[in-house]
C-alpha cells in the first residue's frame, strides 16, 4: 500500500507454482478499489516459474517487524532500526491469522500507543491520531509469510498498525494492542 503520488516497492520470494492475486480493496465498495463491472475478475492468476537467481540481489532490510501472538494479544516486535534509506522486512508469525503492516506518520508528538489503540476500538473517534490518507505498508499476508518493502519515509515518528480483523472476534488487531510507535532517524 502506498500513498497516492509516492513510490513504494514490495518484494516477495515465492516458490514456483500457481497463485491467485486478490485485489482486496475491490471488495470494500465503490470509490475504494477499481469498482469492476459485474462479471469482471477480482482475482487474477499468477504463475511463478523457477527463477535463475544468478546475479539476483535480494534487498537488505535494516529492520524486521514481526507480528506475533502473545498472552496479551497480537503485537508487533521490532528487531533492528527502521531507516529512511533501507527497506523493511515484515513477517507474519501469527498462528492462523492473516495480518498486515499499516504504517502512518505521526505529526503530533503527544500521540501514544494507547491513543492509537483506543482509536481502533472506535474508529469514529476524533481527532484521528494520524492522517488516514497517509498509509504505507504491506498488503495482508498469510501466516508464515514475509515481505520486504521499501517505503518513502522521512525522519520522524511512525505508528505501526493493522486494520485486519481478528479471526476470533472480528475486531481490528490494533484494537487489541497491535500498535507500535517507532522513530526513523
Amino acid at each position: 500500500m502506498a500513498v497516492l503520488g509516492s513510490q513504494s516497492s514490495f518484494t516477495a520470494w515465492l516458490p514456483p507454482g500457481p497463485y491467485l492475486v486478490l485485489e482486496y480493496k475491490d471488495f470494500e465498495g465503490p470509490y475504494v478499489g477499481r469498482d469492476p463491472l459485474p462479471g469482471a475478475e477480482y482475482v487474477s492468476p499468477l504463475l511463478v516459474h523457477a527463477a535463475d537467481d544468478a546475479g539476483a540481489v535480494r534487498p537488505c532490510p535494516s529492520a524486521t517487524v514481526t507480528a506475533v501472538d502473545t498472552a496479551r494479544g497480537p503485537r508487533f516486535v521490532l528487531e533492528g532500526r527502521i531507516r529512511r534509506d533501507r527497506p523493511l522486512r515484515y513477517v507474519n508469525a501469527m498462528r492462523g491469522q492473516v495480518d498486515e503492516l499499516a504504517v502512518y506518520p505521526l505529526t503530533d508528538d503527544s500521540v501514544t500507543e494507547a491513543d492509537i489503540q483506543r482509536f481502533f476500538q472506535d474508529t469514529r473517534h476524533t481527532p484521528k491520531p494520524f492522517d488516514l490518507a497517509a498509509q504505507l505498508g504491506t498488503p495482508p499476508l498469510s501466516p508464515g509469510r514475509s515481505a520486504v518493502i521499501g517505503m518513502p519515509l522521512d525522519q520522524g515518528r511512525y505508528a505501526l498498525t493493522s486494520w485486519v480483523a481478528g479471526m476470533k472476534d472480528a475486531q481490528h488487531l490494533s484494537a487489541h494492542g497491535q500498535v507500535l510507535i517507532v522513530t526513523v532517524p
Side-chain angles (χ1 to χ4, degrees), residues 80-124:
R81 184 152 190 152
I82 298 173
R83 297 177 46 107
R84 295 180 314 142
D85 57 346
R86 299 268 301 279
L88 167 71
R89 181 171 182 239
Y90 170 67
V91 178
N92 180 3
M94 299 180 69
R95 296 178 303 273
Q97 174 66 56
V98 170
D99 200 11
E100 69 178 349
L101 177 64
V103 179
Y104 293 95
L106 294 174
T107 56
D108 181 347
D109 288 340
S110 69
V111 171
T112 67
E113 291 174 357
D115 295 331
I116 296 168
Q117 182 176 352
R118 278 192 296 278
F119 165 73
F120 277 96
Q121 290 167 345
D122 181 3
T123 56
R124 297 171 294 176

Side-chain angles (χ1 to χ4, degrees), residues 58-70:
R58 291 185 181 229
C60 184
S62 65
T64 298
V65 174
T66 305
V68 297
D69 294 306
T70 72

Side-chain angles (χ1 to χ4, degrees), residues 1-2 8-12 24-25 65 67 76 88-92 98-104 135-142 145-151 160-164:
M1 289 178 272
S8 296
S9 61
F10 176 88
T11 303
Y24 73 97
K25 287 210 174 218
V65 174
F76 288 123
L88 167 71
R89 181 171 182 239
Y90 170 67
V91 178
N92 180 3
V98 170
D99 200 11
E100 69 178 349
L101 177 64
V103 179
Y104 293 95
Q135 181 179 353
L136 298 167
T138 69
L141 297 180
S142 298
R145 297 288 186 187
S146 67
V148 175
I149 57 173
M151 297 178 285
L160 309 183
T161 67
S162 176
W163 286 93
V164 171

